[in-house]
DNA sequence: TCATTTATTTGACTTAGTCAAGTATCTGTT
DNA sequence: AACAGATACTTGACTAAGTCAAATAAATGA
């Protein structure tokens, strides 16, 4: 079930403001290209034809939001000028597959270059990190508003990098504050744990896994050595936006696998009973509840639990 | 001096891809509003008139990128329909200031509502955090591409909130890795310091200041109690994008002011000689170099320095 | 004062896009 | 096999939307 949230007025106004802004922005960019023989819509059609194969008129009309009649005439004109070729598909004689001729490609090239140069000039006004932020922000917008085609790789695991622990502290602090009302002392605890982890990190006995999805950190877990026989799993966390992909289970499995190969006898972990989805993962992995006790922390009354897995 | 960076091809392609995507997106949104009596351009003009005062035809043509002739006719039509009033400005009889009449406002209201509802429906498909991310990403794009009108308030100081310390750890870790090649142990050190700060925070004797600019954290500093007489300034930091606004100096001044009112005799701090811009701030504030020593940390050979300010 | 610039208007266009009614072909059902 | 829909385009008949150049009127600067 998807929960729908009443969007606030400020958000709506912000999006509308952006729409007005970008309408103008696109208008400005298009002006520069208006010098050419092609109209804007013609240029859009040529772009699609240059970049995708086996397109039919219907595909173009749908993807570019064009009137079929208008498009039909437009393609006819292109064909007369020798810019495109239409070949009826063998599967369906009503449709024809449209391709650019070499002459069509030649006509598109300066157009394409013009658009490229224009965007290059736009970007050139920004510093490299600003360009990066711009591109990332655009991709975020596109991902959220777009058809959100599932990424080919749902997620990948990688080792810790500079910036990760701060990010994880930030996200966990915010997340548990939002979801459970925990105060800033939880974020501070995470900071202390991770600071100490990196400082005393022993690659032979300890490890961390960061789950990344489309370049964003969406989960993590840390395994630290408590004694020769006991490894402790710490700070398992998965972004709400990336839940349901099995990332949590996978992270726990990686920990257990690592602990096995290193010869640990037990994996232990401490958690709180309110974290139900985490508990389900631990149970599924074979952990047993060893003991629990009431305690007051992070501004709440909580039940702390120790779980163990004998290997 | 601004350094220009040759934008990479992937970045240019990403921006062009976004432009195509958003061209379509705007087209989709506009389709829904096409039912009304007003054309898209008319609606844009009405929007501007409804939201800004004292506009002239030239202003409108410039801001919306319209042909003056076309706009002139459009406004004439509006005037005939009793939607707008034009009053020649007393300063310049060629210009006239255009305002919506009550009838004009009434005509605009359903249009406005339609656009509002459409965006609301678009947002409604997203969860609340996703909506937030969308809005933030749009604001980033707008800020980077826009005329970047200076924000009214260049920055503001506020106390620590949940999520801040993780963010600061994240940014400092990345920043010093990029600028000075420091390794992950610096980030870990920041994490330990801030974790301990929050954990043992004594509001009577200690304080933190977060500098925020347009909703983004762009700087911070922490003042901790070392003894009855000595306060220690820690982790002064300003985002590169927000430098030159005097944020660093302001943060240090706040620390000194706080230390004075609390009756501390000395403010001390530890830094490294490579952090030259920070050092300049300390010198300007009256700090004197007490001693320095070579040390190896964060993967580098460094010169650590202690600075003191007698109050 | 007079040449130039700026703000707006008007006339004469073109183009881009819409809408509805075709034709040809395919698909599923009986 | 036959036929009632769908689909994939095409064509005819429009009109709104936008452009360009020239004109007018007021301001500005030398």
């Amino acid at each position: 079930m998807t929960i729908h949230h009443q969007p606030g007025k400020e958000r709506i106004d912000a999006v509308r403001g952006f729409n007005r802004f970008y309408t103008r922005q696109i208008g400005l960019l298009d002006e520069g290209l208006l010098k050419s023989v092609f109209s804007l819509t013609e240029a859009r059609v040529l772009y699609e034809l240059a970049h995708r194969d086996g397109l039919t008129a219907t595909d173009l009309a749908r993807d570019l939001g064009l009137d079929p009649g208008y498009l039909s005439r437009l393609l006819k004109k292109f064909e007369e000028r020798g810019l495109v070729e239409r070949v009826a598909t063998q599967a369906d004689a009503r449709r024809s597959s449209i391709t650019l001729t070499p002459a069509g490609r030649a006509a598109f090239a300066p157009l394409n270059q013009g658009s490229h140069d224009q965007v290059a000039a736009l970007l050139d006004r920004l510093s490299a990190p600003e360009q990066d932020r711009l591109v990332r922000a655009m991709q975020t917008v596109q991902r959220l508003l777009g058809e959100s085609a599932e990424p080919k790789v749902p997620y990948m695991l990688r080792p810790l990098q500079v910036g990760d622990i701060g990010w994880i502290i930030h996200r966990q602090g915010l997340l548990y504050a939002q979801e459970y009302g925990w105060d800033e002392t939880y974020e501070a605890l995470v900071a202390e744990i991770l600071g100490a982890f990196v400082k005393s990190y022993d690659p032979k006995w300890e490890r961390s896994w960061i789950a990344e999805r489309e370049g964003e950190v969406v989960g993590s877990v840390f395994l630290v050595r408590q004694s020769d026989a006991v490894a402790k799993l710490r700070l398992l966390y998965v972004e709400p936006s990336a839940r349901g992909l099995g990332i949590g289970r996978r992270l726990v499995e990686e920990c257990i696998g690592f602990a096995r190969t290193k010869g640990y006898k037990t994996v232990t972990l401490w958690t709180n009973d309110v974290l139900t989805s985490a508990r389900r993962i631990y149970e599924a992995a074979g952990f047993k509840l060893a003991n629990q006790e009431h305690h007051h922390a992070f501004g709440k009354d909580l039940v702390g639990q120790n779980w163990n897995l004998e290997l």
Side-chain angles (χ1 to χ4, degrees), chain A:
Chain A
M1 194 189 90
T2 310
I3 300 164
H4 294 285
H5 301 262
Q6 194 54 32
K9 190 163 177 350
E10 322 83 60
R11 282 184 190 143
I12 294 172
D13 286 343
V15 172
R16 292 181 70 194
F18 181 77
N19 285 344
R20 281 193 306 281
F21 168 77
Y22 222 80
T23 298
R24 180 83 184 98
Q25 183 69 35
I26 288 171
L28 286 175
L29 287 173
D30 291 346
E31 255 173 40
L33 300 177
L34 229 60
K35 309 288 164 203
S36 89
V37 249
F38 298 107
S39 80
L40 213 61
T41 307
E42 287 172 331
R44 290 174 73 202
V45 169
L46 286 176
Y47 186 93
E48 289 299 315
L49 291 173
H51 288 265
R52 291 164 60 191
D53 281 338
L55 281 170
T56 68
T58 311
D59 294 334
L60 278 170
R62 180 182 12 86
D63 294 351
L64 299 178
L66 299 178
D67 178 84
Y70 180 42
L71 179 62
S72 169
R73 256 182 281 261
L74 201 153
L75 289 172
K76 193 169 147 200
K77 211 170 61 185
F78 279 175
E79 203 174 19
E80 282 164 3
R81 283 203 264 167
L83 303 180
V84 306
E85 262 178 353
R86 288 191 277 188
V87 188
T89 57
Q90 60 276 69
D92 186 340
R94 291 169 306 173
R95 284 189 263 200
S96 43
S97 156
I98 305 156
T99 43
L100 280 187
T101 61
R105 290 194 179 273
F108 174 62
L111 211 68
N112 193 37
Q113 186 63 42
S115 161
H116 181 280
D117 291 350
Q118 219 174 18
V119 170
L122 191 77
L123 280 176
D124 201 41
R125 299 204 305 248
L126 303 174
S127 68
E130 283 173 331
Q131 292 177 16
D132 253 6
R133 282 171 61 204
L134 179 70
V135 168
R136 265 209 303 277
M138 285 177 165
Q139 284 168 345
T140 302
V141 171
Q142 205 164 345
R143 197 171 337 113
L144 288 169
L145 291 183
E147 302 310 307
S148 62
E150 287 304 308
K152 273 157 281 171
V153 183
Y155 67 91
M156 49 176 280
L157 299 187
R158 60 162 178 77
L160 205 64
Q161 293 172 359
V162 171
D164 283 341
I165 70 165
W167 182 257
I168 293 164
I169 295 162
H170 172 67
R171 290 300 305 159
Q172 287 212 32
L174 278 179
L175 200 63
Y176 289 121
Q178 280 166 13
E179 293 199 350
Y180 307 106
W182 292 6
D183 66 17
E184 70 285 354
T185 57
Y186 178 68
E187 189 180 8
L189 176 66
V190 178
E192 285 197 310
I193 291 171
L194 289 182
F197 176 81
V198 170
K199 196 174 162 188
S200 68
Y201 178 54
D202 180 351
K204 196 163 172 345
W205 296 102
E206 305 182 316
R207 189 138 306 174
S208 58
W209 292 264
I210 309 296
E212 195 180 281
R213 180 173 162 83
E214 296 184 296
E216 274 182 43
V217 172
V218 292
S220 59
V221 73
F222 296 80
L223 193 78
V224 301
R225 175 187 152 99
Q226 202 165 63
S227 71
D228 282 359
V230 181
K232 184 165 192 174
L233 186 155
R234 303 200 81 167
L235 298 173
L236 174 69
Y237 134 86
V238 177
E239 279 289 336
S241 65
R243 287 178 187 164
L245 295 165
I247 293 175
R249 188 155 40 90
R250 171 75 186 283
L251 289 169
V252 170
E253 279 167 9
E254 292 287 338
C255 284
I256 296 169
F258 178 82
R260 273 219 178 81
T261 65
K262 293 299 177 182
Y264 284 111
K265 299 280 171 275
T266 310
V267 180
T268 184
L269 65 87
W270 178 81
T271 185
N272 281 282
D273 72 336
V274 290
L275 308 177
T276 49
S277 57
R279 188 177 55 218
R280 248 175 265 124
I281 293 170
Y282 300 139
E283 281 170 344
F287 280 84
K288 305 289 175 205
L289 181 60
N291 56 68
Q292 55 182 348
E293 47 167 351
H294 290 263
H295 67 125
H296 187 89
F298 322 137
K300 294 274 166 185
D301 285 315
L302 297 169
V303 179
Q305 303 179 325
N306 285 297
W307 293 73
N308 294 326
L309 173 69
E310 304 305 328
L311 296 174

